[in-house]
Amino acid sequence: MALVKFRIRRDTSANWTTVNPVLALGEPGLETDTRRTKYGDGATAWTGLSYSVSSVSWGGIDGTLSDQTDLQTALDGKQDDSANLTAIAAATPIADGPHTAGGITITTVGGIITAIA
């Protein structure tokens, strides 16, 4: 079996801004210093694109893990959400645009997931 290797287009935040390229439709661009990503639409230059929403913010955690009842509740909710993602993934092929199942919306551009809400 052949091994396929691909690399995401990447550079520093300053270089992306200076060069300001237009990424192809669905093409990801990674800022190596900030670890933030943007996806191209085939027409808009780098500085006009929005960053992909992929970060998670955590508050302070005190005590033991078993003391974190709010954390357990949140994790239980995410497990319920994963079943919804399975339902979405089963619907292939995915056309461009928003797709909603079980209260979760996935947006695709060029066959690539660009947002999950």
Side-chain angles (χ1 to χ4, degrees):
M1 179 162 80
L3 177 66
V4 176
K5 183 177 180 180
F6 71 94
R7 296 172 71 175
I8 295 175
R9 195 168 169 184
R10 63 205 179 285
D11 210 332
T12 63
S13 176
N15 286 344
W16 278 116
T17 301
T18 299
V19 176
N20 204 24
V22 174
L23 300 178
L25 180 64
E27 178 185 11
L30 171 69
E31 289 181 351
T32 56
D33 53 342
T34 67
R35 296 292 187 210
R36 293 170 54 174
T37 305
K38 294 183 180 187
Y39 289 90
D41 63 6
T44 307
W46 179 264
T47 57
L49 295 171
S50 297
Y51 286 101
S52 174
V53 178
S54 62
S55 63
V56 176
S57 176
W58 293 91
I61 297 178
D62 296 320
T64 65
L65 187 57
S66 61
D67 295 332
Q68 309 307 317
T69 56
D70 57 334
L71 177 61
Q72 187 61 54
T73 301
L75 290 172
D76 290 343
K78 292 301 175 191
Q79 288 175 344
D80 293 340
D81 290 346
S82 68
N84 296 330
L85 292 175
T86 301
I88 293 171
T92 55
I94 297 177
D96 286 350
H99 308 277
T100 303
I104 296 175
T105 300
I106 293 179
T107 304
T108 59
V109 175
I112 295 175
I113 295 174
T114 58
I116 300 175

